[in-house]
Amino acid sequence: ELKVEQNPLFLSMQEGKNYTIYCNYSTTSDRLYWYRQDPGKSLESLFVLLSNGAVKQEGRLMASLDTKARLSTLHITAAVHDLSATYFCAVDMQGAGSYQLTFGKGTKLSVIP
Amino acid sequence: NAGVMQNPRHLVRRRGQEARLRCSPMKGHSHVYWYRQLPEEGLKFMVYLQKENIIDESGMPKERFSAEFPKEGPSILRIQQVVRGDSAAYFCASSTGWGLETQYFGPGTRLLVL
C-alpha cells in the first residue's frame, strides 16, 4: 500500500521567513503533485513533478523531486500572508492503468505578520 | 472554459436517506475521479471512471456507495442509507486521461448527515 507522509503537519511562520515542507512516499513513483487548498475551497494545482531531479518554481514557491530518495520538497521563500493555506502532496499510483492519487495529510501553513 | 462543476455544493441528509452528488468534468475531459475528504485529513481516492465504464473502484466502500458516468450527463456518486460517518467533503476531479495529465478538482460537495 502506497503511503505518503508530509511534515510538518502544522507550520506557523513569520512573514519574510523561509521554510521547507517535506513529502515522503513509500513506493516507486515518478509523478508527484503539489496542491493548495484554502479553507472550505477546492484544491488548486501548483506543481506537477514528472522526473527525478525536477525543479519547478512559481513566485515564492519552489518544488523539487528526488525519486531515488522518494522525497519531494516545497520551499517557501520570504513568506507572505497570502500563502496561508493547506498544502498537499500527492503521488500517482499507476497500477493497472489507474491514475488515482494518494494524498498526504496536508501541511497547514499560517503566515503571521 | 468552465472548470469542473459539482452540485450541490452543500447537502444535508438525515440518517437513512439517499445522497446524490453530481460532477460535470471540464470540457474535453472524459476521465472522472471521486475523492472523499474527512475533516483535517487528506483526500482519499474512491473511484475512477471513464464514460460508461468503471476503471478502478478500489477505494469505494463495499456497501451503500455506487458511482456512474453515463454516456450523456454528469457523473453521479450515490450514497444509499447514509450514516453520520458519511459526513465529509466529496471532491470530483477530471482529466483528459491521455499521458501525464493533471487532475483538476471541482469545488466539492459538503455532505452533512444529521
Side-chain angles (χ1 to χ4, degrees):
Chain A
E1 181 188 343
L2 175 59
K3 291 191 189 319
V4 180
E5 292 187 354
Q6 284 182 241
N7 71 84
L9 298 183
F10 297 93
L11 177 56
S12 180
M13 56 191 297
Q14 285 189 309
E15 279 190 331
K17 298 291 188 184
N18 305 333
Y19 209 83
T20 300
I21 299 170
Y22 297 88
C23 174
N24 289 92
Y25 53 98
S26 61
T27 64
T28 302
S29 174
D30 291 328
R31 306 198 295 195
L32 190 133
Y33 305 78
W34 284 96
Y35 287 89
R36 168 184 171 143
Q37 186 180 36
D38 291 292
K41 304 290 187 184
S42 186
L43 279 75
E44 174 192 352
S45 176
L46 295 175
F47 301 108
V48 182
L49 303 169
L50 300 176
S51 61
N52 187 39
V55 177
K56 290 197 175 179
Q57 183 162 6
E58 180 74 32
R60 299 173 189 275
L61 301 177
M62 183 173 71
S64 66
L65 177 62
D66 180 344
T67 57
K68 293 178 182 174
R70 297 176 187 168
L71 170 69
S72 179
T73 60
L74 181 66
H75 187 73
I76 303 154
T77 303
V80 293
H81 180 68
D82 285 352
L83 289 179
S84 297
T86 299
Y87 292 85
F88 291 97
C89 64
V91 176
D92 196 306
M93 260 187 82
Q94 296 186 44
S98 174
Y99 296 97
Q100 60 170 282
L101 295 177
T102 299
F103 283 81
K105 288 192 171 184
T107 297
K108 189 170 183 178
L109 171 66
S110 297
V111 180
I112 305 164
Chain B
N1 186 13
V4 179
M5 298 175 69
Q6 289 186 249
N7 69 82
R9 296 288 303 276
H10 298 274
L11 183 60
V12 180
R13 285 287 177 264
R14 296 192 181 280
R15 281 179 295 169
Q17 291 184 319
E18 179 180 287
R20 281 192 182 223
L21 288 60
R22 294 175 186 79
C23 168
S24 297
M26 284 177 71
K27 188 175 180 180
H29 288 191
S30 59
H31 295 236
V32 164
Y33 310 78
W34 286 94
Y35 293 85
R36 176 164 62 178
Q37 185 180 33
L38 295 171
E40 308 299 325
E41 294 282 328
L43 279 71
K44 296 276 195 275
F45 169 79
M46 299 181 76
V47 63
Y48 165 35
L49 309 106
Q50 296 175 23
K51 286 281 187 183
E52 301 184 282
N53 283 309
I54 296 174
I55 306 302
D56 180 356
E57 56 181 348
S58 58
M60 286 278 270
K62 297 286 184 247
E63 296 176 348
R64 303 187 297 107
F65 285 72
S66 62
E68 62 176 2
F69 190 13
K71 187 176 180 182
E72 302 290 338
S75 175
I76 295 176
L77 179 68
R78 183 181 176 208
I79 312 171
Q80 295 179 289
Q81 299 175 328
V82 295
V83 300
R84 288 214 175 107
D86 297 333
S87 296
Y90 292 82
F91 289 96
C92 163
S94 74
S95 73
T96 64
W98 304 115
L100 304 175
E101 287 292 331
T102 298
Q103 293 179 25
Y104 293 91
F105 283 80
T109 294
R110 278 141 183 94
L111 172 65
L112 175 62
V113 179
L114 302 176

